[in-house]
Amino acid sequence: MKNILGLFAFSLLAVSCSKSISAEELKNLNGYWEINEVKTADGDTKEFQSNNNVDFFDLKDLKGTRTKVVPQFDGKNQTNGIKEQFTVLDSANATYLKYSTDYAKWTEKVDKLTKDELVIINQNDIKYTYKRFTPIVVNE
């Protein structure tokens, strides 16, 4: 019985520590983001110094798309044309991105969102920390 009460108290604390992302903060989602760090549920961490792929988010009225792009040295981006559709949901004092494609459906929690940092936790409790992508343009 003590274990159940302890688990309930911990769950309540975890939920109460979560907070929704405001509409003003959600505007920060738009744009290009590159993964900076990935932390697994068991605590393993991998840091990325640079990335070949960048995620482009385009959000309007709580609906949006996420596209993987490959930045080019001329400042342009290549993409495979696949856009993952998502909607923004607020639930249990947290903000979620609910995705739906022809192949799968999944949900990710937006743990933090600022102008320069995005933290997303997926259904497997893997935490992805993104930083705002700054393109490198090589002039000829």
Side-chain angles (χ1 to χ4, degrees):
M1 182 68 168
K2 286 183 182 180
N3 289 342
I4 293 173
L5 289 175
L7 181 60
F8 176 74
F10 177 75
S11 298
L12 185 60
L13 178 64
V15 169
S16 66
C17 290
S18 296
K19 74 173 194 92
S20 294
I21 305 296
S22 73
E24 192 63 31
E25 290 170 317
L26 273 174
K27 292 177 184 177
N28 291 322
L29 185 61
N30 285 312
Y32 296 90
W33 294 92
E34 66 177 313
I35 293 177
N36 189 42
E37 179 182 272
V38 176
K39 188 171 187 176
T40 63
D42 60 3
D44 292 336
T45 301
K46 180 171 183 178
E47 293 187 20
F48 295 83
Q49 299 303 318
S50 64
N51 296 291
N52 292 333
N53 297 312
V54 175
D55 288 351
F56 174 71
F57 288 87
D58 185 22
L59 176 67
K60 293 179 186 138
D61 300 325
L62 302 180
K63 293 185 182 206
T65 58
R66 179 182 191 172
T67 308
K68 300 281 186 193
V69 299
V70 179
Q72 306 298 299
F73 287 115
D74 62 2
K76 296 178 183 175
N77 295 304
Q78 286 187 340
T79 179
N80 61 4
I82 297 173
K83 292 184 178 185
E84 300 169 340
Q85 306 287 327
F86 68 87
T87 56
V88 177
L89 303 173
D90 281 331
S91 176
N93 294 325
T95 300
Y96 297 90
L97 303 180
K98 183 176 181 182
Y99 290 88
S100 180
T101 69
D102 291 340
Y103 308 103
K105 293 182 182 184
W106 69 98
T107 303
E108 297 176 329
K109 178 183 176 187
V110 180
D111 195 49
K112 182 177 182 182
L113 178 58
T114 67
K115 185 181 109 180
D116 297 314
E117 185 178 29
L118 168 63
V119 179
I120 292 177
I121 302 172
N122 75 7
Q123 292 174 311
N124 296 321
D125 207 26
I126 298 173
K127 182 186 274 189
Y128 296 87
T129 302
Y130 291 81
K131 63 182 178 181
R132 182 71 67 183
F133 175 71
T134 305
I136 298 172
V137 179
V138 178
N139 295 327
E140 294 181 27

